[in-house]
Amino acid sequence: MQSIMGSVDTHGLDQYDHDDLGFETHARSSRKLRKYRKYLSIITLMVITTTSSVLAYWLYEDLIYFFRSTTPTDLGNAEDLDRQNLEHNSHVRIEGIARDMCIRADRFWRSVKYLYLLGSRTGARTIVETPGNKDEPCLGALESIFEGRLTRIDQPGKYKHVVQYYRAQFAKAPVTGAIYMLEDGKRPRTYWKIPVLFLVLLAVWIVNIRTIWRLWN
């Protein structure tokens, strides 16, 4: 019996422990690769989700304005403007004379010029952005009815250089305090791309959050 057991060659069995064909090594590599891809997917989705959240935040006030009443708040004549009536992100109507600031610029879908209202201290706090050709001469002053979106712009943003130029070049410009921009012609329920884009970003956010949750679990 001992001779039979002693004759068993165990050297061949030891060879299987070395995984000469590499099945176990390949399996470990595959698991590591799947884990790497999983975490890479999660990180990518988190970046996309964060980006869509930031864009939605930037569009938030535009979305609110889109649903404002199409009937503007009549603030009357620029000479009688009351500072307390200037509400950020509101739809307003102002009648009066505005001085041309001799600034021409391209704003996305249109060319514009900038003016400021005359007649009162509050009017001097209100810059008007109205359609204007880049080659149009500086007219001095313009009497009109201005209707559109009123926003506060003395904070850092896309109108920073306009505010700086205004305060540096015009004696009537308030040195400190709020400055407002009236975007003449920009009325609620006009720019449908705003709610459409907001809904797209919201859908992307929801889908990504659900996908991240499934991958994580």
Side-chain angles (χ1 to χ4, degrees):
M1 187 69 175
Q2 291 179 352
S3 61
I4 296 175
M5 292 297 294
S7 64
V8 176
D9 184 7
T10 59
H11 179 69
L13 295 176
D14 293 338
Q15 292 179 342
Y16 290 99
D17 295 335
H18 296 300
D19 188 25
D20 292 337
L21 296 178
F23 290 121
E24 186 177 345
T25 303
H26 179 71
R28 284 198 300 267
S29 299
S30 297
R31 287 194 296 269
K32 288 181 180 179
L33 182 60
R34 286 196 297 270
K35 189 175 182 180
Y36 170 78
R37 287 177 175 173
K38 172 184 174 181
Y39 286 119
L40 181 61
S41 298
I42 291 175
I43 292 172
T44 302
L45 289 171
M46 290 179 69
V47 170
I48 295 174
T49 302
T50 302
T51 303
S52 62
S53 299
V54 171
L55 291 175
Y57 175 77
W58 286 347
L59 288 173
Y60 181 65
E61 286 194 344
D62 296 273
L63 184 68
I64 291 177
Y65 183 74
F66 179 84
F67 290 105
R68 293 280 191 187
S69 172
T70 54
T71 301
T73 300
D74 192 346
L75 300 182
N77 197 287
E79 296 180 357
D80 304 318
L81 272 182
D82 185 351
R83 187 173 175 181
Q84 295 180 344
N85 292 333
L86 300 184
E87 179 186 352
H88 173 69
N89 203 31
S90 59
H91 180 204
V92 301
R93 178 182 181 275
I94 302 174
E95 182 176 356
I97 300 174
R99 177 176 174 177
D100 195 337
M101 294 170 62
C102 302
I103 301 177
R104 306 292 185 263
D106 289 324
R107 280 291 178 197
F108 302 108
W109 59 90
R110 64 176 184 171
S111 295
V112 297
K113 60 184 178 182
Y114 293 97
L115 316 94
Y116 70 88
L117 293 173
L118 301 174
S120 67
R121 292 183 177 180
T122 301
R125 291 189 178 276
T126 309
I127 297 174
V128 179
E129 179 187 87
T130 190
N133 193 290
K134 292 177 64 175
D135 300 323
E136 181 181 339
C138 188
L139 301 177
L142 172 67
E143 183 175 5
S144 183
I145 297 175
F146 305 101
E147 179 188 332
R149 183 184 184 184
L150 184 71
T151 55
R152 183 171 175 172
I153 61 167
D154 52 286
Q155 306 300 324
K158 66 180 181 178
Y159 291 111
K160 179 180 67 174
H161 297 296
V162 175
V163 173
Q164 289 176 345
Y165 178 83
Y166 179 42
R167 283 179 164 158
Q169 300 295 326
F170 296 90
K172 292 287 187 180
V175 178
T176 60
I179 298 290
Y180 295 87
M181 175 67 71
L182 198 167
E183 298 175 71
D184 187 33
K186 189 171 184 178
R187 298 174 176 82
R189 316 291 170 84
T190 304
Y191 302 99
W192 283 92
K193 62 181 181 182
I194 298 298
V196 171
L197 182 56
F198 193 88
L199 288 174
V200 170
L201 292 172
L202 181 61
V204 169
W205 189 88
I206 292 174
V207 170
N208 284 348
I209 289 295
R210 291 182 62 184
T211 306
I212 291 171
W213 178 263
R214 286 200 301 266
L215 288 172
W216 196 268
N217 294 280

